[in-house]
Amino acid sequence: MMDILMYLFETYIHSDAELMVDQDELSEELLRAGFHQEDIYKALEWLEKLAALQETEETPYMNSCAVTSMRVYTAQEMVRLDTASRGFLTYLEQIHVLGADTREMVIDRVMELDTTDFTLDDLKWIILMVLFNAPGNESAYSQMEELLYGMEDGYIH
């Protein structure tokens, strides 16, 4: 499923190409690209839930929390998010790329993935997708892009 999400993000969202609204047409394109039907449906549902995070007031983590609050991970979250991933999330909060609300959106989307093999690189993609979808986080999105692409090129500051 991560492959489909990354494909969609690179092909349509990140490249500013026009995203087709018709899910049937999009599904057909993904099938032609070699993805399996079941994975396509799961990925599209995952993206719909990501978009829905912006539209609900019922989600508890969308409410404000104290700046001094500390995130405690559940056992299931710790299985999915290894020490490096949790450390990366903390780092992004410290440099103000993620806030408590966007961090929780990232964790929500990570936990909804249908995968047993989740890496730090996968987390970085999820963070980009969440920041891209969260209104008012354009600066954080740009900063995250700079972090990722700068690190890939060997520029660590």
Side-chain angles (χ1 to χ4, degrees):
M1 188 162 95
M2 274 302 298
D3 293 338
I4 296 171
L5 294 172
M6 290 169 33
Y7 175 85
L8 288 172
F9 189 73
E10 284 184 325
T11 305
Y12 294 105
I13 299 168
H14 191 257
S15 67
D16 291 329
E18 187 177 325
L19 182 61
M20 294 177 283
V21 178
D22 183 11
Q23 280 195 359
D24 293 334
E25 206 172 310
L26 183 57
S27 294
E28 287 298 319
E29 180 182 333
L30 291 169
L31 280 171
R32 287 191 300 273
F35 297 110
H36 295 98
Q37 187 72 48
E38 183 179 333
D39 293 334
I40 293 169
Y41 287 135
K42 287 178 183 177
L44 292 176
E45 182 179 346
W46 187 94
L47 286 169
E48 285 177 12
K49 287 181 180 178
L50 173 60
L53 289 177
Q54 311 308 317
E55 301 168 1
T56 183
E57 293 181 17
E58 295 175 16
T59 309
Y61 57 79
M62 297 299 285
N63 300 326
S64 297
C65 64
V67 176
T68 57
S69 64
M70 184 176 101
R71 177 63 155 88
V72 177
Y73 291 89
T74 67
Q76 293 140 332
E77 291 169 343
M78 289 175 60
V79 167
R80 178 70 51 91
L81 294 163
D82 63 11
T83 305
S85 295
R86 294 189 310 269
F88 189 66
L89 288 172
T90 301
Y91 169 70
L92 292 178
E93 280 187 89
Q94 290 172 344
I95 64 170
H96 304 288
V97 170
L98 291 178
D101 58 342
T102 50
R103 177 202 62 221
E104 292 304 313
M105 285 186 230
V106 167
I107 294 169
D108 177 81
R109 294 294 76 217
V110 167
M111 296 309 292
E112 285 291 318
L113 288 171
D114 186 22
T115 184
T116 55
D117 186 31
F118 187 77
T119 67
L120 179 58
D121 286 335
D122 294 336
L123 175 63
K124 292 173 183 178
W125 279 100
I126 300 299
I127 293 166
L128 275 177
M129 289 179 213
V130 167
L131 289 175
F132 185 85
N133 264 321
N137 286 289
E138 293 80 12
S139 175
Y141 176 83
S142 296
Q143 195 175 354
M144 183 66 189
E145 271 190 320
E146 286 178 30
L147 273 173
L148 292 181
Y149 297 125
M151 286 180 180
E152 286 177 6
D153 294 338
Y155 304 114
I156 300 176
H157 301 276

